[in-house]
Amino acid sequence: MRLLTDNYIDVYTGRRGVLRAVILRASRSAPFRDRVHQLNTHISSTACDCLAPFMDQVLHPRPRQAVSSGVHMVLGALNQHTVTGTLGDLQPEALRDEIARLLLGYLRGPR
């Protein structure tokens, strides 16, 4: 899971300027926003395929849906981080751990 979230973070931090422009354009153009949604759906579907061997460890009645939704939540958090440069009062060195916890916590469900 950490490898997956680290890869997302690497892409977001490595392409911050481009991603800001994409987010801005998506906020102004419905057709472009639809293409971004298609890309996010592809990313989450690919994550589901990669995690298929581990779906039995997802404590959700619909594991594939949970992985897809969880990835969308991670991407949303990273969008927020890209636009504002922060994620609440989270220190930059804690971003990787906290994003991994976000996804793992969702997939494991409430305790």
Side-chain angles (χ1 to χ4, degrees):
M1 198 61 60
R2 177 64 186 256
L3 180 61
L4 182 72
T5 56
D6 278 354
N7 281 322
Y8 294 151
I9 291 168
D10 289 343
V11 168
Y12 269 76
T13 56
R15 308 263 189 252
R16 183 166 291 183
V18 172
L19 289 169
R20 278 190 186 133
V22 166
I23 292 166
L24 179 62
R25 182 160 179 211
S27 72
R28 295 181 177 168
S29 167
F32 190 79
R33 183 173 40 251
D34 291 342
R35 296 294 309 262
V36 171
H37 288 307
Q38 289 173 2
L39 176 59
N40 288 344
T41 298
H42 174 73
I43 291 168
S44 68
S45 179
T46 300
C48 289
D49 293 344
C50 291
L51 296 174
F54 308 101
M55 289 294 183
D56 62 325
Q57 297 176 38
V58 176
L59 304 178
H60 187 282
R62 286 170 272 164
R64 189 171 176 92
Q65 176 188 325
V67 170
S68 178
S69 296
V71 167
H72 276 91
M73 290 177 212
V74 165
L75 296 177
L78 291 174
N79 281 348
Q80 173 69 22
H81 187 265
T82 298
V83 170
T84 65
T86 64
L87 198 54
D89 60 356
L90 186 64
Q91 297 300 312
E93 60 274 5
L95 181 66
R96 291 179 185 277
D97 286 340
E98 296 306 314
I99 291 294
R101 282 187 183 106
L102 172 72
L103 186 54
L104 277 172
Y106 178 71
L107 297 179
R108 290 181 181 156
R111 294 196 181 239

